[in-house]
Amino acid sequence: MRVLSGIQPTGQIHWGNYFGAVRQYIELQKHDAALYFIADLHALTTVRNPADLRRNVTNAALDLLALGLDPEKATLYVQSDIPEVAELTWLLMTVTQMHLLEKCHAYKDKKAKGIAADAGLFTYPVLMAADILLYDSNLVPVGQDQIQHIEVTRDVAQRFNTIYEREVFVLPEPYVVQSLAKVPGLDGEKMSKSYNNTIEVFMEPKQLRKKIMSIKTDSKGVADVKAPETCSVFTLFKLFASEDQQAALAAKYRAGGMGYGEAKQTLYDQAMAVFGPAFDRRAQLAASPDTVRDVLREGAKKARVKATEVLARAREACGLGGR
Ligand code: TYM
């Protein structure tokens, strides 16, 4: 089983990224080959300041390592350190049908809002297909919003294989944990940087508390009976808590006598308990930037071996080189 996934360095990792994807990266890293990368080429569609991009890449690496990504088990690299991915993107682009890309939501949403899209945003899913196919990936751990892109990847891979009459590419499957696939944000919508409703994993305690206290709830008073099923505070608490802890908090909701402030405090305490150790690890790692740089350099070296092999296979299939 070859596992692969990527995350964009567009800001700080939030709870949606962690529960929807990163937690699964860590769980799956014991597989023979687990490759995880920081998608800086994708981030160029939104981050247009070079200093910001560089800083974001380092921060993403620190976040992943602090959360438990183990470079002894998994390969961690930066997307643009493997130039083969750009060449494969072009080869795939030549067999990608426009209608596949026209229905992809990132592009469709922007167009619906009347915002002009760049070719980079439009062809974003093809670069993603190259990311996945370049390493013969079988399994791609992601949140729900990326499933469509993996379907496009399969379509493009299949079309390439059909046109060139050989099994050049392996067809990948998404790996999605249903209960974690769409983590809600402060307003109850999907947590996303573009909706400005995120809770970041690595925040100073005071800031974290303030954010948690701002989660939207209904206007029921302390004495009122409340419904845990429809409450964002409870939905977020479930991400962190054992069955027993969930049952205990749910009972308090249903009994009445507990205000949302208290539920939020419970969520805060739980988040601090779960992310506290990673917070300290991150500070330690940040103090040795050479270590992080070495991890990324070694990761790229390892990833590139496979990338070179698969790109050669694709080039050969379509008649490039070999004269
Ligand atoms: P990105 O950087 O937006 O998100 C990284 C991962 O976090 C998941 N995620 C969520 N999961 C559950 N609930 C949420 N609210 C939530 N928000 C984000 C995403 O589904 C994703 O798994 N295009 C990708 C990066 C990428 C990639 C790839 C992924 C580039 N190439 C190849 C897999 C394979 C992206 O923008 O993810």
Side-chain angles (χ1 to χ4, degrees), residues 6 8 16-17 20 37 42 124 128 131 142-143 145-146 181 183 191:
Q8 283 198 73
N17 299 139
F37 65 94
H42 278 111
Y124 180 115
M128 197 163 148
D131 286 330
V142 285
D145 59 350
Q146 299 300 320
V183 173
M191 188 178 288

Side-chain angles (χ1 to χ4, degrees), residues 1-44:
M1 226 14 141
R2 299 183 60 87
V3 177
L4 170 136
S5 198
I7 186 160
Q8 283 198 73
T10 44
Q12 294 179 40
I13 286 192
H14 56 67
W15 288 10
N17 299 139
Y18 176 71
F19 289 104
V22 175
R23 204 165 93 164
Q24 283 66 260
Y25 298 177
I26 289 155
E27 181 192 301
L28 295 172
Q29 67 186 351
K30 54 188 180 296
H31 279 266
D32 320 339
L35 286 90
Y36 301 119
F37 65 94
I38 300 165
D40 58 345
L41 294 173
H42 278 111
L44 286 177

Side-chain angles (χ1 to χ4, degrees), residues 38-199:
I38 300 165
D40 58 345
L41 294 173
H42 278 111
L44 286 177
T45 59
T46 52
V47 183
R48 260 74 190 257
N49 175 305
D52 284 352
L53 185 62
R54 265 184 220 113
R55 191 176 44 245
N56 287 355
V57 169
T58 305
N59 278 332
L62 284 170
D63 290 349
L64 292 169
L65 293 168
L67 287 167
L69 199 146
D70 178 357
E72 298 284 314
K73 296 188 182 129
T75 304
L76 177 65
Y77 63 96
V78 178
Q79 184 185 32
S80 67
D81 283 347
I82 316 292
E84 284 76 11
V85 79
E87 184 171 347
L88 183 60
T89 301
W90 178 255
L91 302 190
L92 298 177
M93 205 103 83
T94 62
V95 303
T96 302
Q97 292 166 304
M98 293 288 282
H99 72 85
L100 276 183
L101 302 181
E102 275 157 1
K103 70 176 190 204
C104 282
H105 49 66
Y107 167 71
K108 235 171 67 180
D109 292 353
K110 215 164 185 175
K111 214 174 144 215
K113 285 189 198 139
I115 305 169
D118 301 311
L121 183 74
F122 184 64
T123 54
Y124 180 115
V126 190
L127 175 56
M128 197 163 148
D131 286 330
I132 297 170
L133 300 176
L134 192 55
Y135 301 95
D136 286 341
S137 316
N138 307 105
L139 209 59
V140 187
V142 285
Q144 189 172 307
D145 59 350
Q146 299 300 320
I147 295 177
Q148 185 184 41
H149 292 149
I150 297 169
E151 281 160 7
V152 170
T153 302
R154 290 176 60 91
D155 280 353
V156 171
Q158 215 147 18
R159 190 141 193 273
F160 192 99
N161 288 352
T162 306
I163 290 172
Y164 294 109
E165 297 177 338
R166 55 180 109 162
E167 296 301 302
V168 178
F169 298 121
V170 173
L171 299 194
E173 301 275 351
Y175 178 85
V176 179
V177 178
Q178 259 335 309
S179 58
L180 303 172
K182 196 176 170 190
V183 173
L186 297 172
D187 55 359
E189 297 302 314
K190 185 193 98 168
M191 188 178 288
S192 163
K193 216 179 141 236
S194 40
Y195 301 156
N196 204 12
N197 65 357
T198 53
I199 307 177

